[in-house]
């Protein structure tokens, strides 16, 4: 083969390799995870977050961010902390209870707690009930009662756990306008069992 032939062969081989990288041939690879999003350190409590399920150990949770949900229709946007029904759920950080909300097809009995700087919202879902006296506009400190673990919403009967989420917001955005970020690394900052 002459020089022109080798040039065309090399060009076709390079194009073929590039095409193979860009095409998904539907193998049995694990589902793709959503890219991790990082929160600026100054927006997160320096000491990390309090474990939001009382008595849970760090080893009780895993990073499930981006895992397939709804038959692959969406990615998981939180961290699930498995616990028996009725286990107390506590505030992971200081804030103001911005919204108490029931979502039948989603998080069930939920609470949204807004950080004092209004740039983060802490989301507690699948609760069985709220803590006595918890109300919209009320202030909570890290460790204060939020409710108890349940299986409401789309958790499924008997699948008792807390879905803990964090959303980034602009200070003037409403409770439902946030953009989910991975809470797992932020919980890891407070890894000391509390």
């Amino acid at each position: 083969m002459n020089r022109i032939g080798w040039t065309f062969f090399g060009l076709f081989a390079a194009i073929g390799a590039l095409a193979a990288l860009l095409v998904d041939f539907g193998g049995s690879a694990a589902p793709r995870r959503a890219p991790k999003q990082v929160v600026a350190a100054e927006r997160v409590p320096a000491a990390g977050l309090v474990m939001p399920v009382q008595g849970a150990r760090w080893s009780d949770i895993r990073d499930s961010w981006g895992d397939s949900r709804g038959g692959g229709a969406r990615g998981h946007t939180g961290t699930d902390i498995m616990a028996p029904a009725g286990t107390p759920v506590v505030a992971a950080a200081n804030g103001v209870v911005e919204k108490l909300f029931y979502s039948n097809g989603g998080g069930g009995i939920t609470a949204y707690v807004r950080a004092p700087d209004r740039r983060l919202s802490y989301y507690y879902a699948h609760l069985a009930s709220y803590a006595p006296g918890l109300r919209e506009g009320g202030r909570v400190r890290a460790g204060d009662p939020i409710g108890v673990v349940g299986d409401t919403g789309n958790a499924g009967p008997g699948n008792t756990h807390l879905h803990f989420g964090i959303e980034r917001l602009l200070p003037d955005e409403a409770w439902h306008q946030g953009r989910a970020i991975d809470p797992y690394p932020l919980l890891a900052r407070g890894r000391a069992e509390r």
Side-chain angles (χ1 to χ4, degrees):
M1 199 178 325
N2 63 21
R3 187 179 290 172
I4 293 174
W6 281 111
T7 303
F8 278 113
F9 177 76
L11 181 62
F12 285 120
I15 290 171
L18 179 61
L21 289 173
L22 297 175
V23 174
D24 181 1
F25 292 102
S28 62
R32 290 188 177 131
R33 294 171 62 98
K36 303 281 185 180
Q37 295 182 17
V38 178
V39 178
E42 67 273 6
R43 304 249 191 270
V44 180
L49 302 173
V50 169
M51 180 64 76
V53 175
Q54 197 170 68
R57 295 180 318 268
W58 176 253
S59 58
D60 293 334
I61 64 173
R62 69 177 188 82
D63 188 358
S64 58
W65 178 265
D67 286 358
S68 178
R69 295 291 193 268
R74 59 187 167 80
H76 192 232
T77 57
T79 294
D80 289 340
I81 305 171
M82 308 309 286
T87 302
V89 172
V90 299
N94 298 344
V96 175
V97 178
E98 189 158 81
K99 186 70 176 175
L100 300 178
F101 183 74
Y102 181 79
S103 171
N104 190 38
I109 299 173
T110 63
Y112 293 79
V113 175
R114 192 80 169 249
D117 70 0
R118 301 191 46 79
R119 294 184 182 275
L120 292 176
S121 179
Y122 303 101
Y123 175 62
Y124 306 84
H126 305 309
L127 301 171
S129 63
Y130 296 119
L134 191 73
R135 63 177 175 72
E136 290 180 11
R139 293 191 179 282
V140 293
R141 296 189 53 78
D144 284 353
I146 296 291
V148 296
V149 169
D151 60 2
T152 59
N154 64 7
N159 185 22
T160 58
H161 68 282
L162 172 69
H163 171 99
F164 179 68
I166 301 177
E167 296 184 347
R168 182 181 304 156
L169 302 110
L170 296 174
D172 60 342
E173 287 182 311
W175 63 275
H176 58 86
Q177 294 176 307
R179 289 150 304 283
I181 59 173
D182 187 355
Y184 187 84
L186 303 179
L187 284 169
R189 288 188 186 176
R191 202 168 181 159
E193 312 261 336
R194 297 172 193 221

